[in-house]
Amino acid sequence: MRNTKDYRHGYWRSLEHRAMSHDEEADTWREHPPKPEGTDVSAGGLSRRRFFGVSASGAALAGAAATTGCIRKPKENILPFSERPEDMIPGKPLYYASAFTLGASVTGVLVESQDGRPTKIEGNPKHSGSQGATCVYAQASILDMYDPDRTRSPMQGEEAIGWDVAEATVADLVKAKAAAQGRGLAVVTGYVTSPTMRAQLAAMKARMPEAKIYIDDSMAPNNAIAAAEAIGGKGARVVRSLLNAHVVAAFDSDFLVSETDSVRLAREWAKTRRVTRTPDLTKSGGKVGGEYMSRLYVVEPHLTPTGMMADHRRRAKGSAVGDALLALAKALDAAGLAWPGETAAVAKALPAGSVDDTTAQMIAALAKDLMDPANKGRSAIIVGERQPAWVHTVGLLLDAALGNLAAGANVTGSARWMVDAHAVDAEPISNLTAADTIFVFEANPAYDAAKADVIAAANTVHFGLYRDETAQAAKYHIPVSHWVEAWGDTRALDGTIALQQPLIAPVFNTSSSLEWMSVLGGGRLVDGYSLVKFHHQAQEGAGAGADKAWRRWLHDGVATSQPREPLPPQLSGWGEIPKLISAGRQPVDGMEVNFHLCPKVGDGRYANNAWMQELPHPMTKLTWDNAAYVSAATAQKLGVATGDLINVGANGGSMQIPVFIAPGQAEDTISVALGYGRKWGQSANEVGFDTYAIRPYGSWFAAADISKAGGEHELVSTQDYGRMKPPSLIFDYPERPIVIENDVTGWAKDPTFVEKVNLMTRDRLHHLWEPPKLAGKQQWAMSVDLNTCTGCNACVVACQAENNIPTVGKKQVSNGREMHWIRIDRYFRGDENEPTAVVQPMMCQHCESAPCETVCPVAATTHSPEGLNDMAYNRCIGTRYCSNNCPYKVRRYNFFHYNLNLRPGWLNDDEDGARLAQLQKNPDVTVRFRGVMEKCTYCVQRINQAKIEAHVAGRDKVADGAIITACQQVCPTGAIVFGDKEDPDSAVSRAKANSRDYQVLRDLNNGPRTTYLARIRNPHPELESTAAREDEAGAGHGEGAAEAGHGA
Amino acid sequence: MPQIFPRWTNNIPIAAGLLAPIIGIGLIFAVWYWFSPKYTDVGYRPKQPVPYSHKLHAGDMGIDCRYCHNTVEQAAHAAIPPTATCMNCHKQVKTTSARLQMVRDSYDTGEPIPWVRVHQLPDYAFFNHSAHVAAGVGCASCHGRVDKMVVVEMDQPLSMGWCLDCHRNPEPNLRPLDQVTNMNWDVTKEEYDPKRDPERKRQVNPPTHCSGCHR
């Protein structure tokens, strides 16, 4: 019997893969597996008619060339500025500080401008919400600016109207309402982070006291805010920091990827997980606790990236997560936790939560960890934004008792109380039942809050980028500026103020929402620059030095002189908790449907973003779709398999949605993502299924009737693409080490464990011929830490933006033709219902003796003296041998001219749109044509730029840290490190010196330059034995199938 | 039976056998010569919208290249100057010249002058001026004696083979760093050893691998 703590074996990529026999698996080992119906060769939009058209024009061109006797390139004009702007050097990008907002999260960013075109978004290291990184949404939002679907002129119904008409219409509506004190006026917005906009709304309230403001924002932490305000009064907020955390318990919280302030929290949490030295059991008394490496406990209904990172994870229905927290409160109380002051009575009276046995075991271990004196004030109870307010209040109660919640500076606690004094006084959108004039600012209540009737019945003016559901229902639709085109300001939850500045004049001559809002407060359209500057100078005083301070803020992106110290609120609301519990606690007995924000399209606001649609989902790897995640056992009960449609009835509505059997899903639940099933937009239209139809607004789970519907829907998941296990036709390979994990004690006992998982020892590896010596002064290499990689996808989209990677559409993805240079592989291990998971970003490994190079017939891929695996696109003739021979399956082939055909069938009807989208392209990277192979270049354009700068300055070598690849730049957890491996002091050399460092498929002796740091888990010592027992039980029936061919 | 073909037709196969290689070689030569950038590109001299003479400005008056192309030491492009640079002088001199009408119009209206690009690399080749200037490659090495051109033309083929000739053996084309813009400094006549030049902080080591220029 194999030792179940042996992390070498038993990985599987999908349930299909897990159930396969060894021979079947060999048959499926194809890079582009043929589909039953064959692959459609015309999928690039090249019909027969168009083919002949292209042939004819080609012939005409050849004729023209022959007659003129000239094969010169076409004449090109250079149009220099009449007067070049200061600091602008043509061809050199400039970076401007701005800020990106999503719900209540603010990420400071630096936007790259290439000759006046914003092309790429990077994190701003000076902003607390970014610390140099960004989330995946910020990366993708640049594409929205160039979206050809953006409305180009104001509209009344279906008719385009002039800007002057639009402005007069809004002014008239406001005037009429101002005369009536605002009676019957409703203003709908998303969560407002902008202090200027808050002031404007306050001015509007002063002018029209009876006007109502409604917030419609599913991405804002509405429940967390409600809980904080219940305890701390109006404006109270809790802001977390995980820098000092030893123990983190997440209750249905995906705080690492998709929730508020995820970038900052992921960065801070990663610092507690980036272990550089091997643990020493002799010094720590035989056990490794949170002070060495924080420990993460998770209870959640479906597997999220946070659950994937957890040391212990338990499944629970969304409606039962609160019970787990109540059980924890009871366990802590039983262990003698000292409840501070007035909270004791409340805590003692908390109802008992019912949890199953395995969860109870975990709760017991968690309680022990929390009661450990070493962890006092160094833990965090994070309740997810989907949980109702009462769960949040219980979480805050525990945080307070554990010493985590503190006020004032210099606290070690993981969270602190603050007061957001100028928060907008607003109601949730669900309260909007009737109004005669509605202004909707960049919100979509007709889609996400079922308010289409109310919108249509009133004089509604919709301000937004797209003619979306609300715009279609509204009487007027006025396009607004994208945030990269507009002035603005933001206030993060921790109080950091950051300014937004435009990088480009509005492409469609629009004004921003902030500017339109000035009509509400003052009656006329004022430019954003004046609004923002005036507001901040009024706050700071416009005396001497004010202009200088303003310029400093713009330059840094952060207004440092704004007060950031928290003001502690009066915590008088602890007594509210029992009332909140009795009002809000609603267990679901039968089947439960729970809703979540899609880690790709959010609440639907990125649904028309082709990058986001094509991105594989972090856990299920689904693209261009959403689905109902169910566990294997529940699927069996329902009699369905992946792709089968089910009927889901909830909240008085019903819908059909395909099933996706997702390992790690709680029993008797289905989890569905919001944001799909749209009826507009070239990317969004008809993609996925609209789950708002069955969602009670503001609630994230509900009892549901679920039955098999009959019929199927093709779901495209990339989870089986690029498997790295060879067929067993010739040799019966044992499973090769691709992801390597261990736990801390295993690592401590055997510091060289990564060495031992290889099939061959180092001395057995020989080259057929002497590898050529690499003469470069610096040798580029990368290290990826699997211990901190959360699979959030930010790197995938950052790479897409930086390297001009096209999207190909669902059909092409289903043929295995996606173009992402970074593929984030997700592996499961263990039981199919309660597996552990690990992700591994896989991109070109830049092998020192690269298998791709030896088979290229035209030497289009060769090695640089600095260790890069170069790709000369113009030499490539498209044999695809290199891709065939790549053991890591990281080469991507342009089967069609995807860059012209950005979306399937797109160019033909919208050439303006194609030209607009071209403006996003990075001019430092070649745009590849059909028939060309491509792959990760280690961002060679950035390497060359840094080298040229060093050479011009007279240095031979590039300083460590001067080259930051796009994926490294954006990584919230800093898992990716790049640099010169010849320099022993470089960050990458230090990372590779870690005893966890390993090469994937080292036995092939390729010498990959990208190496990985093995994943280390930090299980609680008492749960370890339990986990091992469970593992063993699981191994008995589950792993046998996948491993049958080779008893280990 | 009379002969269908006259007797001289017997020579056709011999003639064909002799001519075919000549035609074949001719074709190869034709492609090799007439399709190469040496033929198609060298001497390319498009008509510019403003009859600007480098001979007058750079040659006779001796204005340094960098007065107008002032980004050459910092950026990939040696940018065409903005109209404002022309007007630095032409506000005072030749203020009524008809040939400068377009320049004055551009300065007044902000509309750019549509100069025609002379040196045009393919989009997949990434050339950087600042790196070459810092290495001590003279302007004249690639652009020829611009100071003698009334209308600028291409002096060198700018083909990949031509680039590599120098990248593989750069020394003959290097000059002291303060002579880069000197049109009269003749690399074939002057004695200069870059290895012994104390002004150089580093010895050049030009890339000859693909990603040096293609990315």
Side-chain angles (χ1 to χ4, degrees), chain A residues 102 136-137 219 447 596-609 611-615 617 624-626 673-678 684 687 692:
Chain A
L102 186 74
V136 65
Y137 301 110
M219 299 196 83
Y447 172 64
H596 59 273
L597 296 170
C598 180
K600 304 195 308 166
V601 308
D603 64 350
R605 64 186 75 178
Y606 291 100
N608 203 40
N609 189 310
W611 289 351
M612 286 307 226
Q613 288 283 8
E614 186 144 318
L615 194 62
H617 183 281
W624 293 98
D625 250 319
N626 63 344
L674 300 172
Y676 290 84
R678 315 302 286 268
V687 173
Y692 282 109

Side-chain angles (χ1 to χ4, degrees), chain A residues 994-1010:
Chain A
N994 195 315
S995 70
R996 293 185 289 135
D997 177 70
Y998 74 97
Q999 302 176 350
V1000 174
L1001 303 181
R1002 193 192 77 184
D1003 302 303
L1004 298 178
N1005 207 14
N1006 295 334
R1009 278 286 169 87
T1010 301

Side-chain angles (χ1 to χ4, degrees), chain A residues 63-79:
Chain A
T67 48
T68 56
C70 164
I71 47 170
R72 254 203 69 80
K73 292 162 280 243
K75 187 177 123 177
E76 197 174 281
N77 285 114
I78 298 178
L79 305 173

Side-chain angles (χ1 to χ4, degrees), chain A residues 455-760:
Chain A
I455 299 286
N459 268 329
T460 304
V461 186
H462 172 261
F463 300 89
L465 289 179
Y466 301 108
R467 193 149 189 273
D468 56 18
E469 290 81 356
T470 304
Q472 288 172 24
K475 196 162 172 189
Y476 302 97
H477 165 49
I478 298 179
V480 295
S481 306
H482 188 268
W483 65 271
V484 173
E485 300 169 332
W487 284 99
D489 54 354
T490 61
R491 181 188 185 280
L493 281 177
D494 67 358
T496 307
I497 305 269
L499 300 177
Q500 292 177 315
Q501 54 182 324
L503 276 92
I504 187 169
V507 178
F508 298 124
N509 204 16
T510 47
S511 301
S512 68
S513 284
L514 187 71
E515 287 163 343
W516 279 107
M517 219 170 254
S518 63
V519 182
L520 269 63
R524 65 192 177 88
L525 205 56
V526 183
D527 72 286
Y529 178 75
S530 311
L531 285 172
V532 175
K533 191 173 180 186
F534 180 79
H535 177 80
H536 283 279
Q537 295 202 331
Q539 298 281 306
E540 296 286 313
D547 275 338
K548 203 173 167 194
W550 169 257
R551 284 199 298 276
R552 167 62 47 192
W553 296 351
L554 284 179
H555 175 269
D556 291 352
V558 181
T560 45
S561 62
Q562 297 277 343
R564 282 195 52 203
E565 277 315 312
L567 303 161
Q570 291 296 320
L571 304 180
S572 53
W574 295 113
E576 298 290 315
I577 294 179
K579 271 182 264 172
L580 283 168
I581 293 178
S582 61
R585 192 169 170 219
Q586 288 162 339
V588 174
D589 284 334
M591 290 291 285
E592 176 199 88
V593 56
N594 63 61
F595 306 88
H596 59 273
L597 296 170
C598 180
K600 304 195 308 166
V601 308
D603 64 350
R605 64 186 75 178
Y606 291 100
N608 203 40
N609 189 310
W611 289 351
M612 286 307 226
Q613 288 283 8
E614 186 144 318
L615 194 62
H617 183 281
M619 287 297 117
T620 62
K621 300 288 153 196
L622 277 177
T623 67
W624 293 98
D625 250 319
N626 63 344
Y629 306 147
V630 302
S631 71
T634 309
Q636 203 169 17
K637 205 158 76 182
L638 292 167
V640 290
T642 292
D644 287 350
L645 287 168
I646 52 169
N647 284 319
V648 184
N651 190 36
S654 89
M655 65 171 299
Q656 289 199 341
I657 189 166
V659 158
F660 187 89
I661 299 181
Q665 177 76 20
E667 307 299 349
D668 295 333
T669 63
I670 65 166
S671 291
V672 294
L674 300 172
Y676 290 84
R678 315 302 286 268
K679 296 284 182 281
W680 60 271
Q682 296 179 67
S683 292
N685 194 27
E686 304 285 327
V687 173
F689 300 83
D690 179 10
T691 48
Y692 282 109
I694 54 168
R695 178 187 177 217
Y697 183 84
S699 170
W700 296 86
F701 23 84
D705 293 323
I706 297 169
S707 60
K708 188 176 176 173
E712 284 183 31
H713 176 84
E714 187 189 20
L715 291 173
V716 178
S717 165
T718 62
Q719 64 185 351
D720 277 323
Y721 178 79
R723 289 229 305 273
M724 287 183 279
K725 188 170 177 182
S728 58
L729 301 174
I730 307 168
F731 302 109
D732 189 11
Y733 279 105
E735 193 169 317
R736 301 184 294 182
I738 292 168
V739 280
I740 298 181
E741 315 175 61
N742 207 333
D743 53 30
V744 266
T745 38
W747 184 24
K749 283 178 187 149
D750 185 2
T752 59
F753 72 98
V754 292
E755 195 65 22
K756 294 182 180 146
V757 298
N758 293 302
L759 302 183
M760 286 191 274

Side-chain angles (χ1 to χ4, degrees), chain A residues 939-952:
Chain A
C939 283
V940 67
Q941 68 279 8
R942 295 188 179 206
I943 298 177
N944 283 356
Q945 189 54 42
K947 274 171 67 180
I948 287 168
E949 274 166 23
H951 292 175
V952 169

